[in-house]
Every structure is written in C-alpha cells, then in structure tokens.
Amino acid sequence: ARALDAFLDTLIPATGSPGAKAAGVGSFIDRAVADWSLPAEAAAVRQGLDRVDADARAAHGKVFADLDPEARRAVVAAWEKD
C-alpha cells in the first residue's frame, strides 16, 4: 500500500486540492482490486508495484515510498523515456 500511495501521490500531488493520498485514491484502488479483479489482474498490479520499488532501489537505493518527491518524479520520468 505504501508504494501505491506514493506512486499515486506522485502522479496526483496535493496542490490547491488534496493529492491522491489525502483523497484516499490508493485505498479505493486496493479495495477495487481485491473485490473486483481477477487473480491475474491483481497479480499484474502487484508486479507493477514491485517494479516501481525495484526501479527506485536501482536508481536511488531506496523503495519508492521512501524517496523524496523529486526522486520519485525522476523514477517516473525514466519510464516515460522508455
């Protein structure tokens, strides 16, 4: 859940309105995946979050949720280049 919250808050940060974390987007997605996804779809979500952490560790030595916002944006920007 930490990786998901951090990833979503990187995509939808707090501005004049709440960011994804404050709005509970991660909790909603967790419930939706648990309640409505097929096992293979839920596994794909977990694999994606594992990749988020693996890429963060490779680039910055920490899991994604432990990175500062600038480092998180750098991890996401690297995917956009791929």
Side-chain angles (χ1 to χ4, degrees):
R2 288 184 66 229
L4 179 60
D5 279 338
F7 180 72
L8 293 170
D9 222 40
T10 301
L11 298 180
I12 308 169
T15 55
S17 60
K21 185 175 180 180
V25 177
S27 295
F28 174 80
I29 290 174
D30 276 340
R31 282 192 312 272
V33 168
D35 294 346
W36 297 305
S37 293
L38 296 171
E41 294 167 335
V45 171
R46 285 190 300 277
Q47 289 171 349
L49 292 172
D50 288 345
R51 178 182 173 201
V52 168
D53 278 339
D55 289 354
R57 268 192 226 99
H60 301 282
K62 298 179 183 178
V63 296
F64 193 80
D66 290 341
L67 298 177
D68 62 57
E70 184 177 330
R72 290 178 185 175
R73 286 190 297 271
V75 171
V76 172
W79 299 328
E80 292 173 343
K81 292 178 184 176
D82 285 345

